[in-house]
Amino acid sequence: YLVAMENAFYNDFRAVSKAEQLKKINSDLGENKNFDALQWKTPEGITVQPIYHKEDTSQAPKSVNEARMWKLAQYIQLTTEKECLNRIEDALNNDVEVLFFAVKRKPAIINGVIKALQAKKAHAYFCFENPPSKTIMDTLNSHPNSTVLFDSLGRTVELGEAFQDDFTKQFPYQTILNPLTFFVDAAIYANAGANIEQQIAFTLAHLTDYLTHYTPTNKKSKVELVVRLAQGSSYFLEIAKIITFRSLANTLITAYDFPIELKIIAEPQQRNKSCIDYNVNLLRSSTEVMSAVLGEADVVMNLPYDLRFNVPNHFSDRLARNQVLILKHESYFDCLPNVTQGSYFIENLVHTYKQSSWAEFLKIEEAGGWLHQIKNNTLQTQVYKAREEEQKRIADGATTLVGVNKYVDQNSLDAVPLKKDVIASDSAILPLNLHYTS
């Protein structure tokens, strides 16, 4: 009876074509405005419509019965051993599943950190800014739940340093990792100002250079490929970015004759965070971690709202963690199957990004590959151009960045000092380091 009633209810409504929808919309808008006036373009030149119809997507309906399980990560900078141990304890007592250690200048305290993790079940990523020593590698390999992350290629271009002539010297550290892990820090592209199409294409080319030059001794041994993405403010576009990247990356890795497991770590972009009106960083990062979840990242890691100008502290750690905990446990985002399937808008974006990003990736490969294009500064020049265009849109008010070029709290203009993270380089290689919008 209920099924019959439900079918009868839906039978009262006939299907409407997109042409009929547009006719009705233009009629309701009147003479002073039409549908075309409501469209806008993304930085890549993609036209975004105010509505989408089933006719706008070529995707066949999919049935998803289970949600992708994603894990909550806590970002921890290695400072003093005592502070790190307190932050580890605090994180693990508050439902954090993954610890992400940013290792900059204090690798000596890793021994104490590893001892504290021995009895813990949480997975730990150690992301090195500089090449880790053999001693440190051995220490980390002794802990089964830890993974070493060092993107030698990405770090070199981030600093604008000269590359080794022998490609294999760029990643000697992978040869002693257990399990074997390649890390691609694709966040550098977003934080340097690249648009979404560039982020996807450059990351694909970046990881291709690692995998292509790797010769496995045992083709049955699984290789981990960890990719770190930075999510920006364009909510739906950023959801489509992760979906597009995963789809293209999975297609790409099937070309290799050894098993590869792809894991995506997603975090908020740093480039768009303000030190002028820094409280809006909390609002901005909320949508960014949400887009990471809906885009189906494997690990979602929020960053402290005051990362730009403050020392690590308990307060901003707690806020960052709670933003994701609310999504996971109060909004039940860990229980939902892929809610973006059936969204004509996102499916259309994914289809468009797949075509444009793959075409850009093929151009890079045909021109000699990622490393060759980096040495020629071709990719950096493209990022610089995209960044300048974005800066102009922000300066002109065409792009609204709350707390930066609109609704700025004048009382906070001199509240904190500006932290300069842009690194100068005299090298012939143009650096792709962090550039803030404010």
Side-chain angles (χ1 to χ4, degrees):
Y1 174 76
L2 290 175
V3 173
M5 287 292 291
E6 181 180 338
N7 290 337
F9 176 80
Y10 285 112
N11 288 337
D12 289 339
F13 298 89
R14 68 177 182 86
V16 179
S17 68
K18 185 170 184 180
E20 291 175 299
Q21 279 189 342
L22 294 181
K23 183 178 179 180
K24 176 61 176 172
I25 290 171
N26 282 318
S27 173
D28 289 347
L29 289 172
E31 297 180 357
N32 296 326
K33 186 175 283 189
N34 58 39
F35 181 82
D36 290 341
L38 301 178
Q39 298 177 348
W40 58 279
K41 288 187 179 295
T42 70
E44 302 84 9
I46 299 172
T47 300
V48 178
Q49 304 174 30
I51 67 159
Y52 281 82
H53 189 273
K54 182 168 61 176
E55 297 173 15
D56 292 312
T57 177
S58 59
Q59 293 284 347
K62 296 179 182 179
S63 177
V64 179
N65 298 319
E66 295 182 1
R68 177 184 291 277
M69 299 304 295
W70 56 277
K71 294 184 177 181
L72 186 159
Q74 177 85 45
Y75 178 83
I76 299 176
Q77 298 178 71
L78 288 193
T79 51
T80 66
E81 184 171 330
K82 181 179 179 181
E83 284 183 7
C84 284
L85 296 183
N86 288 338
R87 296 177 79 192
I88 291 170
E89 194 69 25
D90 185 44
L92 297 181
N93 287 337
N94 287 280
D95 295 332
V96 168
E97 300 157 291
V98 175
L99 299 169
F100 187 99
F101 295 99
V103 186
K104 295 185 178 180
R105 301 178 184 85
K106 295 184 178 291
I109 68 172
I110 287 179
N111 284 329
V113 171
I114 286 294
K115 288 180 181 178
L117 293 174
Q118 291 294 349
K120 310 297 183 182
K121 294 182 180 180
H123 193 87
Y125 287 108
F126 290 83
C127 185
F128 286 85
E129 194 172 78
N130 299 302
S133 68
K134 176 68 166 57
T135 302
I136 290 176
M137 299 293 295
D138 290 339
T139 300
L140 293 176
N141 277 336
S142 68
H143 184 247
N145 288 335
S146 67
T147 302
V148 175
L149 303 179
F150 178 62
D151 181 5
S152 54
L153 293 179
R155 185 59 179 163
T156 303
V157 73
E158 189 177 7
L159 296 174
E161 295 179 346
F163 285 84
Q164 297 276 0
D165 291 332
D166 182 359
F167 188 94
T168 58
K169 291 181 179 179
Q170 292 292 339
F171 53 103
Y173 309 98
Q174 278 79 7
T175 60
I176 57 174
L177 290 179
N178 184 25
L180 178 64
T181 303
F182 287 107
F183 175 52
V184 175
D185 191 357
I188 64 175
Y189 302 120
N191 287 322
N195 61 42
I196 289 177
E197 178 187 293
Q198 291 171 340
Q199 291 175 49
I200 297 171
F202 296 175
T203 306
L204 291 173
H206 190 152
L207 65 89
T208 297
D209 267 14
Y210 272 130
L211 297 176
T212 301
H213 289 84
Y214 166 63
T215 303
T217 54
N218 182 358
K219 292 187 177 181
K220 293 184 179 180
S221 297
K222 183 182 292 184
V223 173
E224 287 187 351
L225 177 60
V226 180
V227 178
R228 183 183 186 184
L229 297 176
Q231 298 297 99
S233 303
S234 297
Y235 180 62
F236 294 103
L237 275 63
E238 294 292 339
I239 294 173
K241 179 179 79 177
I242 298 184
I243 297 172
T244 301
F245 173 74
R246 184 184 293 278
S247 176
L248 294 179
N250 281 333
T251 299
L252 185 62
I253 61 182
T254 58
Y256 298 92
D257 59 354
F258 49 90
I260 302 171
E261 182 181 9
L262 172 66
K263 290 185 179 179
I264 297 176
I265 302 174
E267 65 185 40
Q269 190 181 107
Q270 293 185 57
R271 171 169 163 71
N272 61 3
K273 299 304 180 289
S274 174
C275 74
I276 300 173
D277 197 357
Y278 50 84
N279 290 312
V280 300
N281 294 342
L282 289 166
L283 304 177
R284 198 162 285 134
S285 60
S286 293
T287 68
E288 291 165 353
V289 293
M290 191 170 171
S291 70
V293 173
L294 295 183
E296 294 197 327
D298 299 291
V299 177
V300 178
M301 177 174 68
N302 200 4
L303 298 177
Y305 77 99
D306 56 357
L307 180 64
R308 180 175 184 183
F309 57 84
N310 206 357
V311 296
N313 61 90
H314 172 77
F315 180 72
S316 58
D317 276 356
R318 182 168 62 87
L319 289 181
R321 181 172 61 241
N322 286 349
Q323 285 176 269
V324 189
L325 282 171
I326 288 171
L327 293 179
K328 196 172 184 72
H329 296 307
E330 296 187 28
S331 301
Y332 302 104
F333 272 41
D334 61 333
C335 302
L336 296 173
N338 188 348
V339 295
T340 63
Q341 290 183 0
S343 168
Y344 305 140
F345 177 29
I346 294 178
E347 289 183 355
N348 182 275
L349 281 173
V350 169
H351 176 72
T352 304
Y353 276 135
K354 276 186 179 181
Q355 290 185 315
S356 61
S357 299
W358 187 255
E360 184 62 32
F361 163 68
L362 292 179
K363 285 182 183 178
I364 297 171
E365 292 303 294
E366 290 168 1
W370 182 89
L371 185 58
H372 180 73
Q373 293 274 278
I374 288 293
K375 286 182 176 180
N376 291 342
N377 291 321
T378 304
L379 302 188
Q380 298 97 308
T381 301
Q382 293 178 39
V383 173
Y384 284 19
K385 181 180 178 182
R387 183 175 70 225
E388 289 168 2
E389 291 173 351
E390 181 191 44
Q391 287 288 166
K392 187 177 186 305
R393 290 193 301 271
I394 293 172
D396 295 343
T399 294
T400 298
L401 206 58
V402 174
V404 175
N405 67 346
K406 200 166 187 179
Y407 309 120
V408 180
D409 181 2
Q410 296 298 322
N411 294 325
S412 65
L413 286 174
D414 299 318
V416 293
L418 179 62
K419 180 181 176 183
K420 300 288 187 180
D421 274 22
V422 177
I423 304 168
S425 173
D426 296 328
S427 169
I429 303 293
L430 293 176
L432 280 181
N433 48 59
L434 174 58
H435 279 253
Y436 286 107
T437 56
S438 64

